[in-house]
Amino acid sequence: MKIYYEDDIEMDVIADKKIAVIGYGSQGRAQARNMADSGLNVIVGVRSGGNSWNMAKEDGMNVMTIEDASREADIVHILIPDEIQATVYEQSIEPYLTEGNTISFSHGYNIHYGYIKAPNGVNVTMIAPKGPGAMVRRTYLEGFGIPGLVAVEVDATGDALDIALAMGKACGFARAGILETTFKEETETDLFGEQTVLCGGVTELIKTAFETLVEAGYQPELAYFETCHELKLIVDLIYEKGFTGMWKNVSNTAEFGGLTRRSRIITQETKKEMEKILEEIQKGEFAKEWTLENKAGRPMLKRMRELEVGLKIEKVGSKLRKLCGLEK
Ligand SMILES: NC(=O)C1=CN([C@@H]2O[C@H](COP(=O)(O)OP(=O)(O)OC[C@H]3O[C@@H](n4cnc5c(N)ncnc54)[C@H](O)[C@@H]3O)[C@@H](O)[C@H]2O)C=CC1
Ligand SMILES: CC(=O)[C@](C)(O)C(=O)O
Ligand SMILES: [Mg+2]
Ligand SMILES: [Mg+2]
């Protein structure tokens, strides 16, 4: 395991390079601004006249079409949604690549599953934050950063790793540490983490606990505060102090109850299901399912989004977040 920090990384390898950030969404806006604020020559490549174009202009970025940015740049950092990267790459990026260029990602998905293949002579690298775009920007401005992952799939120029690390340092990731990995390991662990814990698992856990209390007749507002709102405060303790530190900060009652009951909630059955989900990721079955969903116009995702918005916890939560000023 190799972790790189600020002092391990030289910036001169990209000091005179043009870096095109393709996409100006969660990661694109954050990483483009961080790299520009770190003194790099950043171009934002987005669709002409769209919301991202206008936002990037308002942020004072050097904005071009994806084609022009890809033609102009030495490094093309692709930060558009995973499910459309292959199409946009084929139509608007690959035709403009030249020998010695680098294509760079913040998720290994399209390279790992073979949806994007780089031409000979082009580096393929990844510099990926382990956190959402908003936190990439916020922590950078606070003088710290989000931990990052770095990987090199193709090193055509002999300095692909140095290039990726310098980009990560410019984004602030080296302040927290950049861990060396592979496209395969990043892709499989990122998909697994977001499906079973970070996004999927945690919302199902909260939703189920909230519904259990409400169906038992408790006030929905109290159920929301107990099972959702307070979770951030507990996770912040784990983030800062680990399990042991968190247990030290809650009551002995909570500690005894939590330690004796948690394995009745996340059971051996749960572990078996996690192993099955990981296998689906490793075999490419999830990627195939996501590709088919997009080809069909995302019917399942649209339906699930409608159901999510209609959840009781969303209605109760929105009311309470507005009352305390968290939500506009
Ligand atoms: N969202 C996150 O916090 C994280 C995302 N990533 C990775 O970063 C990459 C970018 O993800 P996000 O920033 O979440 O994407 P996003 O969904 O926020 O990107 C939206 C942006 O992509 C562009 N875009 C959207 N549709 C387009 C189209 N059809 N043609 C051309 N441009 C289009 C627009 O500029 C738009 O603002 C992905 O590979 C993702 O897996 C990695 C770590 C965390
Ligand atoms: C924020 C992040 O790291 C995720 C959950 O992997 C993602 O947005 O894809
Ligand atoms: Mg992730
Ligand atoms: Mg992800």
Side-chain angles (χ1 to χ4, degrees), residues 127-189:
I127 186 68
K130 286 287 93 183
M135 293 308 289
V136 167
R137 182 62 178 165
R138 190 193 303 177
T139 51
Y140 177 88
L141 294 174
E142 288 166 353
F144 194 55
I146 296 274
L149 300 182
V150 67
V152 175
E153 188 80 2
V154 175
D155 183 3
T157 58
D159 60 357
L161 179 62
D162 298 334
I163 290 169
L165 284 169
M167 290 170 68
K169 180 174 179 179
C171 285
F173 303 158
R175 296 167 183 167
I178 301 177
L179 177 68
E180 192 164 0
T181 181
T182 63
F183 272 69
K184 169 179 165 56
E185 186 178 52
E186 186 279 336
T187 301
E188 293 175 353
T189 54

Short mmCIF file of all heavy atoms in Angstrom, two decimals, residues 127-189:
data_model
loop_
_atom_site.label_atom_id
_atom_site.label_comp_id
_atom_site.label_asym_id
_atom_site.label_seq_id
_atom_site.Cartn_x
_atom_site.Cartn_y
_atom_site.Cartn_z
N ILE A 127 -7.61 9.87 -11.02
CA ILE A 127 -7.43 10.52 -9.74
C ILE A 127 -8.84 10.71 -9.19
O ILE A 127 -9.64 11.44 -9.77
CB ILE A 127 -6.62 11.82 -9.86
CG1 ILE A 127 -6.31 12.41 -8.48
CG2 ILE A 127 -7.24 12.83 -10.79
CD1 ILE A 127 -5.33 11.54 -7.65
N ALA A 128 -9.18 9.99 -8.13
CA ALA A 128 -10.58 9.90 -7.69
C ALA A 128 -10.69 10.29 -6.22
O ALA A 128 -10.02 9.70 -5.38
CB ALA A 128 -11.09 8.47 -7.87
N PRO A 129 -11.55 11.26 -5.91
CA PRO A 129 -11.79 11.60 -4.51
C PRO A 129 -12.70 10.57 -3.86
O PRO A 129 -13.59 10.05 -4.53
CB PRO A 129 -12.48 12.95 -4.59
CG PRO A 129 -13.22 12.92 -5.88
CD PRO A 129 -12.38 12.08 -6.81
N LYS A 130 -12.49 10.29 -2.61
CA LYS A 130 -13.40 9.41 -1.86
C LYS A 130 -14.41 10.30 -1.14
O LYS A 130 -14.52 10.28 0.08
CB LYS A 130 -12.61 8.55 -0.86
CG LYS A 130 -11.82 7.43 -1.51
CD LYS A 130 -12.71 6.28 -2.01
CE LYS A 130 -13.13 6.42 -3.43
NZ LYS A 130 -14.03 5.41 -3.95
N GLY A 131 -15.17 11.05 -1.95
CA GLY A 131 -16.20 11.90 -1.35
C GLY A 131 -16.90 12.73 -2.40
O GLY A 131 -16.42 12.85 -3.54
N PRO A 132 -18.04 13.32 -2.04
CA PRO A 132 -18.82 14.08 -3.00
C PRO A 132 -18.15 15.39 -3.43
O PRO A 132 -17.34 15.94 -2.68
CB PRO A 132 -20.13 14.38 -2.28
CG PRO A 132 -20.02 13.84 -0.92
CD PRO A 132 -18.68 13.23 -0.74
N GLY A 133 -18.55 15.87 -4.60
CA GLY A 133 -17.94 17.07 -5.16
C GLY A 133 -17.99 18.27 -4.22
O GLY A 133 -17.01 18.99 -4.07
N ALA A 134 -19.12 18.47 -3.58
CA ALA A 134 -19.27 19.64 -2.71
C ALA A 134 -18.21 19.63 -1.60
O ALA A 134 -17.64 20.68 -1.25
CB ALA A 134 -20.66 19.65 -2.09
N MET A 135 -17.89 18.42 -1.11
CA MET A 135 -16.88 18.32 -0.04
C MET A 135 -15.47 18.47 -0.61
O MET A 135 -14.56 18.94 0.07
CB MET A 135 -17.03 17.00 0.71
CG MET A 135 -18.31 16.89 1.50
SD MET A 135 -18.56 18.32 2.59
CE MET A 135 -17.31 17.99 3.81
N VAL A 136 -15.29 18.08 -1.86
CA VAL A 136 -13.98 18.28 -2.53
C VAL A 136 -13.67 19.77 -2.53
O VAL A 136 -12.55 20.20 -2.21
CB VAL A 136 -14.02 17.73 -3.98
CG1 VAL A 136 -12.82 18.22 -4.79
CG2 VAL A 136 -14.07 16.21 -3.97
N ARG A 137 -14.67 20.59 -2.84
CA ARG A 137 -14.46 22.04 -2.91
C ARG A 137 -14.37 22.64 -1.50
O ARG A 137 -13.47 23.43 -1.20
CB ARG A 137 -15.58 22.69 -3.71
CG ARG A 137 -15.44 24.20 -3.89
CD ARG A 137 -14.19 24.57 -4.65
NE ARG A 137 -14.09 26.02 -4.86
CZ ARG A 137 -12.96 26.63 -5.25
NH1 ARG A 137 -11.86 25.92 -5.44
NH2 ARG A 137 -12.92 27.94 -5.42
N ARG A 138 -15.32 22.23 -0.62
CA ARG A 138 -15.36 22.84 0.70
C ARG A 138 -14.08 22.58 1.49
O ARG A 138 -13.47 23.48 2.07
CB ARG A 138 -16.56 22.32 1.51
CG ARG A 138 -16.80 23.09 2.81
CD ARG A 138 -17.75 22.41 3.76
NE ARG A 138 -19.06 22.14 3.16
CZ ARG A 138 -20.03 21.49 3.84
NH1 ARG A 138 -19.82 21.05 5.06
NH2 ARG A 138 -21.18 21.27 3.26
N THR A 139 -13.61 21.34 1.47
CA THR A 139 -12.41 21.02 2.25
C THR A 139 -11.18 21.71 1.66
O THR A 139 -10.28 22.12 2.38
CB THR A 139 -12.17 19.50 2.29
OG1 THR A 139 -12.20 18.99 0.96
CG2 THR A 139 -13.22 18.81 3.14
N TYR A 140 -11.16 21.85 0.32
CA TYR A 140 -10.03 22.55 -0.32
C TYR A 140 -9.96 23.99 0.18
O TYR A 140 -8.90 24.49 0.57
CB TYR A 140 -10.20 22.52 -1.84
CG TYR A 140 -9.13 23.29 -2.60
CD1 TYR A 140 -7.94 22.66 -2.99
CD2 TYR A 140 -9.31 24.63 -2.92
CE1 TYR A 140 -6.95 23.36 -3.69
CE2 TYR A 140 -8.31 25.33 -3.61
CZ TYR A 140 -7.15 24.70 -3.99
OH TYR A 140 -6.17 25.39 -4.66
N LEU A 141 -11.12 24.65 0.19
CA LEU A 141 -11.17 26.05 0.63
C LEU A 141 -10.84 26.18 2.12
O LEU A 141 -10.33 27.19 2.57
CB LEU A 141 -12.54 26.65 0.33
CG LEU A 141 -12.89 26.79 -1.16
CD1 LEU A 141 -14.32 27.27 -1.33
CD2 LEU A 141 -11.90 27.75 -1.87
N GLU A 142 -11.11 25.11 2.88
CA GLU A 142 -10.79 25.13 4.31
C GLU A 142 -9.31 24.82 4.57
O GLU A 142 -8.85 24.78 5.69
CB GLU A 142 -11.66 24.10 5.06
CG GLU A 142 -13.13 24.48 5.18
CD GLU A 142 -14.01 23.30 5.59
OE1 GLU A 142 -13.48 22.15 5.65
OE2 GLU A 142 -15.21 23.52 5.85
N GLY A 143 -8.57 24.56 3.47
CA GLY A 143 -7.14 24.28 3.63
C GLY A 143 -6.84 22.81 3.83
O GLY A 143 -5.69 22.43 4.06
N PHE A 144 -7.90 21.96 3.71
CA PHE A 144 -7.62 20.52 3.85
C PHE A 144 -8.03 19.82 2.56
O PHE A 144 -7.91 20.39 1.47
CB PHE A 144 -8.36 19.97 5.09
CG PHE A 144 -7.88 18.60 5.50
CD1 PHE A 144 -6.52 18.37 5.76
CD2 PHE A 144 -8.76 17.52 5.60
CE1 PHE A 144 -6.06 17.09 6.12
CE2 PHE A 144 -8.32 16.26 5.98
CZ PHE A 144 -6.96 16.05 6.23
N GLY A 145 -8.53 18.60 2.60
CA GLY A 145 -8.88 17.91 1.36
C GLY A 145 -9.56 16.58 1.63
O GLY A 145 -9.61 16.12 2.79
N ILE A 146 -10.03 15.98 0.56
CA ILE A 146 -10.67 14.67 0.63
C ILE A 146 -9.61 13.62 0.26
O ILE A 146 -8.83 13.85 -0.67
CB ILE A 146 -11.80 14.60 -0.44
CG1 ILE A 146 -12.89 15.60 -0.13
CG2 ILE A 146 -12.33 13.19 -0.57
CD1 ILE A 146 -13.94 15.11 0.80
N PRO A 147 -9.54 12.48 0.93
CA PRO A 147 -8.58 11.46 0.50
C PRO A 147 -8.87 11.05 -0.95
O PRO A 147 -10.02 11.08 -1.39
CB PRO A 147 -8.84 10.28 1.44
CG PRO A 147 -9.60 10.84 2.59
CD PRO A 147 -10.36 12.03 2.07
N GLY A 148 -7.80 10.72 -1.68
CA GLY A 148 -8.00 10.35 -3.08
C GLY A 148 -7.39 9.00 -3.39
O GLY A 148 -6.62 8.44 -2.61
N LEU A 149 -7.78 8.47 -4.55
CA LEU A 149 -7.19 7.25 -5.09
C LEU A 149 -6.51 7.59 -6.41
O LEU A 149 -7.05 8.40 -7.18
CB LEU A 149 -8.27 6.20 -5.33
CG LEU A 149 -9.08 5.73 -4.13
CD1 LEU A 149 -10.08 4.65 -4.57
CD2 LEU A 149 -8.19 5.20 -3.03
N VAL A 150 -5.35 7.01 -6.66
CA VAL A 150 -4.65 7.23 -7.93
C VAL A 150 -4.38 5.88 -8.59
O VAL A 150 -4.09 4.88 -7.90
CB VAL A 150 -3.32 8.00 -7.73
CG1 VAL A 150 -2.29 7.17 -6.97
CG2 VAL A 150 -2.75 8.46 -9.07
N ALA A 151 -4.58 5.83 -9.92
CA ALA A 151 -4.30 4.58 -10.64
C ALA A 151 -3.82 4.92 -12.06
O ALA A 151 -4.21 5.94 -12.63
CB ALA A 151 -5.56 3.72 -10.71
N VAL A 152 -2.99 4.05 -12.59
CA VAL A 152 -2.54 4.19 -13.99
C VAL A 152 -2.86 2.90 -14.72
O VAL A 152 -2.40 1.83 -14.34
CB VAL A 152 -1.02 4.47 -14.07
CG1 VAL A 152 -0.55 4.48 -15.52
CG2 VAL A 152 -0.69 5.78 -13.38
N GLU A 153 -3.67 3.01 -15.76
CA GLU A 153 -4.01 1.84 -16.59
C GLU A 153 -3.02 1.72 -17.73
O GLU A 153 -2.59 0.64 -18.10
CB GLU A 153 -5.44 1.98 -17.14
CG GLU A 153 -5.98 0.75 -17.83
CD GLU A 153 -6.49 -0.31 -16.87
OE1 GLU A 153 -6.46 -0.08 -15.63
OE2 GLU A 153 -6.89 -1.38 -17.34
N VAL A 154 -2.67 2.88 -18.36
CA VAL A 154 -1.69 2.90 -19.45
C VAL A 154 -0.71 4.04 -19.20
O VAL A 154 -1.11 5.18 -19.03
CB VAL A 154 -2.37 3.12 -20.83
CG1 VAL A 154 -1.32 3.25 -21.94
CG2 VAL A 154 -3.36 2.01 -21.14
N ASP A 155 0.59 3.71 -19.20
CA ASP A 155 1.63 4.74 -19.02
C ASP A 155 2.41 4.85 -20.33
O ASP A 155 3.45 4.21 -20.50
CB ASP A 155 2.55 4.36 -17.86
CG ASP A 155 3.59 5.45 -17.60
OD1 ASP A 155 3.54 6.51 -18.30
OD2 ASP A 155 4.46 5.25 -16.73
N ALA A 156 1.90 5.66 -21.24
CA ALA A 156 2.52 5.79 -22.58
C ALA A 156 3.72 6.72 -22.54
O ALA A 156 4.66 6.58 -23.33
CB ALA A 156 1.49 6.31 -23.58
N THR A 157 3.71 7.69 -21.62
CA THR A 157 4.76 8.73 -21.63
C THR A 157 5.83 8.49 -20.57
O THR A 157 6.82 9.21 -20.51
CB THR A 157 4.12 10.11 -21.37
OG1 THR A 157 3.44 10.05 -20.09
CG2 THR A 157 3.14 10.48 -22.47
N GLY A 158 5.59 7.53 -19.69
CA GLY A 158 6.58 7.25 -18.65
C GLY A 158 6.41 8.08 -17.40
O GLY A 158 7.07 7.86 -16.39
N ASP A 159 5.50 9.07 -17.45
CA ASP A 159 5.28 9.91 -16.25
C ASP A 159 3.79 10.02 -15.93
O ASP A 159 3.34 11.01 -15.34
CB ASP A 159 5.89 11.29 -16.46
CG ASP A 159 5.30 12.03 -17.67
OD1 ASP A 159 4.45 11.42 -18.37
OD2 ASP A 159 5.70 13.20 -17.91
N ALA A 160 3.02 9.00 -16.33
CA ALA A 160 1.56 9.04 -16.12
C ALA A 160 1.21 9.14 -14.64
O ALA A 160 0.32 9.91 -14.26
CB ALA A 160 0.92 7.80 -16.73
N LEU A 161 1.91 8.41 -13.79
CA LEU A 161 1.61 8.46 -12.35
C LEU A 161 1.91 9.84 -11.80
O LEU A 161 1.10 10.40 -11.04
CB LEU A 161 2.42 7.40 -11.59
CG LEU A 161 2.20 7.36 -10.06
CD1 LEU A 161 0.75 7.04 -9.71
CD2 LEU A 161 3.17 6.36 -9.40
N ASP A 162 3.03 10.44 -12.21
CA ASP A 162 3.38 11.79 -11.74
C ASP A 162 2.30 12.79 -12.15
O ASP A 162 1.94 13.69 -11.38
CB ASP A 162 4.73 12.22 -12.32
CG ASP A 162 5.86 11.31 -11.85
OD1 ASP A 162 5.71 10.71 -10.76
OD2 ASP A 162 6.85 11.16 -12.61
N ILE A 163 1.78 12.64 -13.37
CA ILE A 163 0.73 13.55 -13.86
C ILE A 163 -0.52 13.41 -12.99
O ILE A 163 -1.08 14.41 -12.52
CB ILE A 163 0.41 13.25 -15.34
CG1 ILE A 163 1.58 13.67 -16.24
CG2 ILE A 163 -0.89 13.92 -15.78
CD1 ILE A 163 1.47 13.18 -17.67
N ALA A 164 -0.94 12.17 -12.76
CA ALA A 164 -2.17 11.95 -11.97
C ALA A 164 -2.01 12.45 -10.54
O ALA A 164 -2.91 13.09 -9.98
CB ALA A 164 -2.52 10.47 -11.98
N LEU A 165 -0.84 12.20 -9.97
CA LEU A 165 -0.61 12.66 -8.58
C LEU A 165 -0.61 14.18 -8.49
O LEU A 165 -1.17 14.76 -7.56
CB LEU A 165 0.72 12.10 -8.07
CG LEU A 165 0.73 10.62 -7.68
CD1 LEU A 165 2.16 10.15 -7.47
CD2 LEU A 165 -0.14 10.38 -6.43
N ALA A 166 0.00 14.83 -9.48
CA ALA A 166 0.03 16.30 -9.47
C ALA A 166 -1.38 16.87 -9.59
O ALA A 166 -1.74 17.85 -8.93
CB ALA A 166 0.92 16.82 -10.60
N MET A 167 -2.22 16.22 -10.40
CA MET A 167 -3.63 16.67 -10.49
C MET A 167 -4.33 16.49 -9.15
O MET A 167 -5.07 17.36 -8.69
CB MET A 167 -4.36 15.87 -11.57
CG MET A 167 -3.93 16.19 -12.99
SD MET A 167 -4.62 15.02 -14.18
CE MET A 167 -6.36 15.45 -14.11
N GLY A 168 -4.04 15.37 -8.48
CA GLY A 168 -4.66 15.13 -7.17
C GLY A 168 -4.21 16.14 -6.14
O GLY A 168 -5.00 16.64 -5.34
N LYS A 169 -2.91 16.49 -6.20
CA LYS A 169 -2.39 17.50 -5.26
C LYS A 169 -3.06 18.84 -5.51
O LYS A 169 -3.46 19.55 -4.58
CB LYS A 169 -0.88 17.62 -5.43
CG LYS A 169 -0.22 18.64 -4.49
CD LYS A 169 1.28 18.59 -4.61
CE LYS A 169 1.96 19.62 -3.70
NZ LYS A 169 3.46 19.54 -3.80
N ALA A 170 -3.26 19.18 -6.78
CA ALA A 170 -3.91 20.45 -7.13
C ALA A 170 -5.37 20.48 -6.69
O ALA A 170 -5.96 21.54 -6.48
CB ALA A 170 -3.82 20.68 -8.64
N CYS A 171 -5.96 19.29 -6.53
CA CYS A 171 -7.35 19.21 -6.06
C CYS A 171 -7.44 19.20 -4.54
O CYS A 171 -8.53 19.25 -3.98
CB CYS A 171 -8.01 17.95 -6.60
SG CYS A 171 -8.46 18.03 -8.34
N GLY A 172 -6.28 19.09 -3.87
CA GLY A 172 -6.26 19.09 -2.42
C GLY A 172 -6.23 17.70 -1.80
O GLY A 172 -6.17 17.52 -0.58
N PHE A 173 -6.26 16.65 -2.66
CA PHE A 173 -6.41 15.29 -2.11
C PHE A 173 -5.17 14.86 -1.32
O PHE A 173 -5.25 14.10 -0.37
CB PHE A 173 -6.63 14.27 -3.24
CG PHE A 173 -7.82 14.56 -4.12
CD1 PHE A 173 -7.88 14.04 -5.40
CD2 PHE A 173 -8.87 15.38 -3.68
CE1 PHE A 173 -8.97 14.29 -6.23
CE2 PHE A 173 -9.95 15.64 -4.50
CZ PHE A 173 -10.00 15.11 -5.78
N ALA A 174 -3.97 15.37 -1.72
CA ALA A 174 -2.73 14.93 -1.06
C ALA A 174 -2.61 15.46 0.36
O ALA A 174 -1.77 14.99 1.13
CB ALA A 174 -1.53 15.34 -1.90
N ARG A 175 -3.47 16.43 0.72
CA ARG A 175 -3.46 16.93 2.10
C ARG A 175 -3.99 15.84 3.05
O ARG A 175 -3.59 15.72 4.19
CB ARG A 175 -4.33 18.19 2.23
CG ARG A 175 -3.82 19.38 1.44
CD ARG A 175 -4.88 20.46 1.38
NE ARG A 175 -4.49 21.61 0.56
CZ ARG A 175 -5.37 22.54 0.18
NH1 ARG A 175 -6.65 22.46 0.53
NH2 ARG A 175 -4.98 23.58 -0.56
N ALA A 176 -4.92 15.03 2.49
CA ALA A 176 -5.49 13.94 3.30
C ALA A 176 -4.82 12.61 2.96
O ALA A 176 -4.89 11.66 3.73
CB ALA A 176 -7.00 13.85 3.03
N GLY A 177 -4.21 12.55 1.78
CA GLY A 177 -3.52 11.33 1.37
C GLY A 177 -4.11 10.75 0.10
O GLY A 177 -5.33 10.72 -0.05
N ILE A 178 -3.22 10.34 -0.83
CA ILE A 178 -3.66 9.71 -2.08
C ILE A 178 -3.14 8.28 -2.09
O ILE A 178 -1.94 8.04 -2.09
CB ILE A 178 -3.15 10.48 -3.32
CG1 ILE A 178 -3.65 11.94 -3.30
CG2 ILE A 178 -3.60 9.77 -4.60
CD1 ILE A 178 -3.12 12.79 -4.44
N LEU A 179 -4.07 7.32 -2.10
CA LEU A 179 -3.73 5.90 -2.03
C LEU A 179 -3.61 5.31 -3.44
O LEU A 179 -4.49 5.53 -4.28
CB LEU A 179 -4.84 5.16 -1.26
CG LEU A 179 -4.73 3.65 -1.10
CD1 LEU A 179 -3.56 3.28 -0.19
CD2 LEU A 179 -6.03 3.07 -0.54
N GLU A 180 -2.54 4.59 -3.71
CA GLU A 180 -2.36 3.99 -5.04
C GLU A 180 -3.20 2.73 -5.17
O GLU A 180 -3.22 1.89 -4.27
CB GLU A 180 -0.89 3.68 -5.29
CG GLU A 180 -0.59 3.33 -6.75
CD GLU A 180 0.89 3.41 -7.08
OE1 GLU A 180 1.71 3.72 -6.18
OE2 GLU A 180 1.22 3.18 -8.26
N THR A 181 -3.93 2.62 -6.28
CA THR A 181 -4.79 1.45 -6.50
C THR A 181 -4.77 1.10 -7.98
O THR A 181 -3.87 1.53 -8.71
CB THR A 181 -6.22 1.74 -5.98
OG1 THR A 181 -7.04 0.59 -6.18
CG2 THR A 181 -6.86 2.91 -6.72
N THR A 182 -5.76 0.33 -8.40
CA THR A 182 -5.91 -0.01 -9.82
C THR A 182 -7.32 0.38 -10.27
O THR A 182 -8.21 0.58 -9.43
CB THR A 182 -5.76 -1.53 -10.04
OG1 THR A 182 -6.82 -2.18 -9.33
CG2 THR A 182 -4.40 -2.03 -9.54
N PHE A 183 -7.55 0.46 -11.57
CA PHE A 183 -8.89 0.75 -12.08
C PHE A 183 -9.87 -0.32 -11.60
O PHE A 183 -11.00 -0.03 -11.22
CB PHE A 183 -8.87 0.84 -13.61
CG PHE A 183 -8.54 2.22 -14.13
CD1 PHE A 183 -7.27 2.75 -13.97
CD2 PHE A 183 -9.50 2.97 -14.78
CE1 PHE A 183 -6.97 4.04 -14.44
CE2 PHE A 183 -9.21 4.24 -15.26
CZ PHE A 183 -7.93 4.78 -15.09
N LYS A 184 -9.41 -1.57 -11.59
CA LYS A 184 -10.30 -2.67 -11.18
C LYS A 184 -10.70 -2.50 -9.71
O LYS A 184 -11.88 -2.52 -9.36
CB LYS A 184 -9.61 -4.03 -11.39
CG LYS A 184 -10.30 -5.21 -10.77
CD LYS A 184 -9.54 -6.51 -11.07
CE LYS A 184 -9.97 -7.68 -10.20
NZ LYS A 184 -11.39 -8.01 -10.22
N GLU A 185 -9.70 -2.28 -8.85
CA GLU A 185 -9.98 -2.20 -7.41
C GLU A 185 -10.85 -0.99 -7.09
O GLU A 185 -11.81 -1.08 -6.32
CB GLU A 185 -8.68 -2.13 -6.62
CG GLU A 185 -8.89 -2.20 -5.11
CD GLU A 185 -7.60 -2.19 -4.31
OE1 GLU A 185 -6.75 -1.28 -4.55
OE2 GLU A 185 -7.42 -3.08 -3.46
N GLU A 186 -10.55 0.17 -7.70
CA GLU A 186 -11.36 1.37 -7.41
C GLU A 186 -12.78 1.16 -7.88
O GLU A 186 -13.73 1.45 -7.16
CB GLU A 186 -10.76 2.59 -8.13
CG GLU A 186 -11.45 3.91 -7.78
CD GLU A 186 -12.74 4.15 -8.57
OE1 GLU A 186 -12.89 3.56 -9.68
OE2 GLU A 186 -13.60 4.89 -8.08
N THR A 187 -12.94 0.64 -9.10
CA THR A 187 -14.29 0.47 -9.65
C THR A 187 -15.13 -0.46 -8.77
O THR A 187 -16.24 -0.13 -8.37
CB THR A 187 -14.21 -0.11 -11.07
OG1 THR A 187 -13.46 0.78 -11.89
CG2 THR A 187 -15.61 -0.29 -11.66
N GLU A 188 -14.56 -1.64 -8.47
CA GLU A 188 -15.35 -2.63 -7.74
C GLU A 188 -15.65 -2.18 -6.31
O GLU A 188 -16.77 -2.34 -5.82
CB GLU A 188 -14.61 -3.98 -7.76
CG GLU A 188 -14.56 -4.57 -9.17
CD GLU A 188 -13.73 -5.83 -9.27
OE1 GLU A 188 -13.07 -6.20 -8.28
OE2 GLU A 188 -13.75 -6.45 -10.36
N THR A 189 -14.69 -1.54 -5.65
CA THR A 189 -14.95 -1.11 -4.26
C THR A 189 -15.87 0.10 -4.21
O THR A 189 -16.70 0.21 -3.31
CB THR A 189 -13.62 -0.78 -3.54
OG1 THR A 189 -12.88 0.18 -4.31
CG2 THR A 189 -12.80 -2.03 -3.32
#
